[in-house]
Amino acid sequence: MHSVSPKISCVALIPARSGSKRIPEKNIRLLAGHPLIAYSISAALQSRIFSAVIVSTDSERYTEIARYYGAEVPFARPTEISGDTSPDIEWVEYTLKRLAAQGRHYDCFSILRPTSPFRLPETIQRAWAEFCAETGVDSLRAVEKCSQHPAKMWVVRGRRMLPLLPIGPADQPWHSSQYPSLPEVYVQNASLEIAWSRVVFEGRTIAGTVLMPFLTRDAEGFDVNKPYDWDLAEHIVKQKAARLCAISQPPFCPLPKA
């Protein structure tokens, strides 16, 4: 694989723990014939950005699927850092340290979550170019403009409520203002993150303290987390409202057990 900048090495990290509760086995559930994770693996490989594409999983079945679609699974993720409340820093730190112990050192890492199937190779290439062109940042994170503005949100305490953002002019509080008049606010999505590896080793964080935005377009930031999201993703595919990354392999078919 070839990097945009031969002087900067970057590893793609694709988290795929088993045991999803809201959508059982969502990382390997079939979307348009392929396991969901296949689209992130293929997008990472086809972007030609990364020195390696690594899947972090605690599942032998997920490992088999990931390898079939071209990713590496050099070691399993320990069960104790594979829970639904385990913070990202645990598996990212574990993975980078295990790779370093094998003599595999990378300047940067990118987290590509399987739940963003409409993130394309071009999306990754655009983000990488923006990250490489910026100076003085620790990381880049995908964001999109909020559809639900936090100025319209409330904290409920018993039978009373207070605005989450109690700011704005007294004669025209933000919660009573029209959306176009409010400051633009962006929310992160799960499409992608890129960071210098030093933020993990020096600060034990996946983002550092100086973040730059990467504005996703259209369905690039779409995230599958709930059954409704899955139904919507299938509808988007059926209506050809967004494009999935092309996959050259035939759909994964597990070999029968002897």
Side-chain angles (χ1 to χ4, degrees):
M1 280 175 276
H2 304 287
S3 169
V4 166
S5 172
K7 296 181 180 179
I8 305 175
S9 61
C10 190
V11 59
L13 303 179
I14 301 177
R17 68 176 185 84
S18 58
S20 174
K21 292 184 173 64
R22 287 183 289 186
I23 304 177
E25 305 287 10
K26 69 179 177 183
N27 288 323
I28 60 169
R29 187 171 176 177
L30 298 185
L31 179 66
H34 292 281
L36 189 65
I37 193 174
Y39 297 103
S40 288
I41 294 172
S42 297
L45 292 170
Q46 292 174 35
S47 74
R48 303 181 73 82
I49 296 298
F50 305 108
S51 302
V53 176
I54 307 289
V55 168
S56 171
T57 183
D58 58 331
S59 165
E60 291 184 8
R61 185 180 179 201
Y62 287 22
T63 295
E64 183 183 7
I65 293 170
R67 288 174 175 163
Y68 174 82
Y69 285 100
E72 291 184 62
V73 189
F75 39 77
R77 189 197 301 190
T79 304
E80 58 269 24
I81 59 172
S82 300
D84 53 6
T85 60
S86 298
D88 285 326
I89 185 57
E90 291 185 344
W91 70 264
V92 171
E93 180 182 45
Y94 177 84
T95 302
L96 292 181
K97 284 186 173 180
R98 283 289 303 268
L99 290 171
Q102 297 176 356
R104 304 176 70 179
H105 302 274
Y106 302 97
D107 300 311
C108 305
F109 66 91
S110 178
I111 300 176
L112 303 172
R113 302 178 196 277
T115 51
S116 292
F118 302 112
R119 177 217 313 103
L120 298 170
E122 307 93 271
T123 314
I124 300 170
Q125 291 168 346
R126 197 171 81 248
W128 179 243
E130 291 183 18
F131 180 74
C132 290
E134 197 69 25
T135 58
V137 299
D138 294 326
S139 65
L140 168 150
R141 179 165 292 189
V143 296
E144 59 191 58
K145 194 173 180 180
C146 283
S147 58
Q148 298 285 339
H149 201 288
K152 302 283 188 177
M153 297 179 182
W154 299 80
V155 177
V156 175
R157 294 176 176 168
R159 298 296 302 162
R160 301 290 183 269
M161 64 183 192
L162 302 167
L164 178 65
L165 300 180
I167 49 182
D171 59 335
Q172 186 62 43
W174 282 358
H175 58 72
S176 297
S177 300
Q178 296 300 314
Y179 189 107
S181 69
L182 297 172
E184 287 191 354
V185 177
Y186 294 82
V187 61
Q188 68 184 43
N189 59 52
S191 182
L192 62 83
E193 299 159 59
I194 304 173
W196 295 100
S197 298
R198 58 173 170 76
V199 303
V200 173
F201 296 119
E202 297 174 8
R204 202 169 188 270
T205 169
I206 64 168
T209 57
V210 183
L211 288 76
M212 65 175 287
F214 173 67
L215 275 58
T216 51
R217 303 169 183 168
D218 303 319
E220 288 177 333
F222 185 87
D223 187 35
V224 179
N225 268 311
K226 306 181 293 295
Y228 172 82
D229 301 330
W230 188 273
D231 293 342
L232 184 54
E234 290 185 323
H235 177 76
I236 290 171
V237 172
K238 184 177 181 180
Q239 296 298 317
K240 299 182 179 179
R243 185 162 55 94
L244 292 166
C245 179
I247 297 176
S248 59
Q249 296 99 319
F252 173 80
C253 182
L255 294 173
K257 294 182 179 180

